[in-house]
């Protein structure tokens, strides 16, 4: 069955960097686009970024563009999110999600999330 | 930027029909999907392409999308349906995924 396991979250000071990972299994990772979506404590869902199946296309929310970079290693079935210049407003649970591949950027399956806390 | 508006909350009694709306400019021209998020859990896709139920989702969940409004309908609402519900679209003009603010459904 599809499994997505995020890791790399933790407490980080403002201005510092952090890299999240998402280990995928149970499906052919190299044929699906992937999303990162975040949820601040007590708030709604906020899309962060999408990467195509082969990494040739990337899209970012305005709030993270220029600071965050999505990447993937299809040989390792792993998705990454490099987060630089972190701010307090980036504090959230970060979910990776498998795209449904229907052309409408639907997040078909979600991981359990990893918490990132940006605080001094 | 493209915006989706949902009512913050909705309350229904068990067995009643719950209708959760999602409004956006010419939303009917886009493909909407819906997610359910129970407390402390990850979101789950329940409806995609406006009205298609995701695998394993009960038949009491249905969706529609026309004009400026997409609607998630839960017929015969059960206590287990108490959750937050989010609509979402892909805005091709901005190449952004857009979520609605979410609706907290209370079944009492």
């Amino acid at each position: 069955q599809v499994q997505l396991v995020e890791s790399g979250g933790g407490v980080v000071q403002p201005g510092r960097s952090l890299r999240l990972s998402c280990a995928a299994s149970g499906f052919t990772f190299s044929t699906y686009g992937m999303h990162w979506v975040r949820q601040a404590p007590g708030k709604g869902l906020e899309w962060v970024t999408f990467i195509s199946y082969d990494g040739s296309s990337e899209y970012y929310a305005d709030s993270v563009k220029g600071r965050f970079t999505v990447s993937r290693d299809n040989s390792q079935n792993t998705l990454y999110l490099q987060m630089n210049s972190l701010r307090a407003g980036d504090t959230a649970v970060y979910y990776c999600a498998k795209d449904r591949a229907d052309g409408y950027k639907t997040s078909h399956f979600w991981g359990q999330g990893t918490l990132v806390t940006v605080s001094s | 930027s493209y915006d989706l508006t949902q009512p913050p909350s909705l309350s229904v009694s068990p067995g009643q029909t719950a209708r959760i709306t999602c409004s956006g400019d010419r939303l009917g021209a886009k493909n909407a999907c819906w997610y359910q998020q129970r407390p402390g859990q990850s979101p789950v896709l329940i409806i995609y392409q406006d009205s298609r139920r995701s695998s394993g989702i009960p038949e009491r969940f249905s969706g529609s999308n026309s004009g400026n409004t997409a609607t998630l309908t839960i017929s015969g609402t059960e206590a287990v349906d108490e959750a937050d519900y989010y609509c979402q679209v892909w805005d091709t003009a901005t190449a952004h995924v857009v979520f609605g603010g979410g609706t907290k459904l209370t079944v009492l």
Side-chain angles (χ1 to χ4, degrees), chain B residues 4 8 10 15 22-23 27 32 49 51-52 54 57 66 71 73-76 92-93 97:
Chain B
L4 293 174
L10 178 68
C22 173
S23 299
L27 179 55
Q49 292 179 21
S51 59
R52 297 176 181 265
S54 190
I57 301 302
S66 178
T71 303
T73 301
I74 311 172
S75 304
T92 56
V97 169

Side-chain angles (χ1 to χ4, degrees), chain A residues 35 37 39 43-47 50 59-62 95 100 102-113, chain B residues 1 31 33 35 37 41-45 47-49 54-55 84 86 88-90 95-101:
Chain A
H35 301 262
V37 178
Q39 186 170 36
K43 302 297 184 182
L45 300 174
E46 180 188 13
W47 172 74
F50 169 85
Y59 306 107
Y60 295 92
D62 294 345
Y95 296 99
R100 201 181 166 279
D102 59 1
Y104 305 117
K105 304 298 185 284
T106 307
S107 289
H108 195 184
F109 190 83
W110 301 58
Q112 87 289 348
Chain B
S1 64
N31 279 265
C33 62
Y35 304 93
Q37 186 179 32
Q41 297 187 17
S42 300
V44 172
L45 176 66
I47 297 289
Y48 65 96
Q49 292 179 21
S54 190
S55 177
D84 294 325
Y86 297 90
Q88 181 235 294
V89 297
W90 167 243
H96 280 33
V97 169
V98 179
F99 283 98

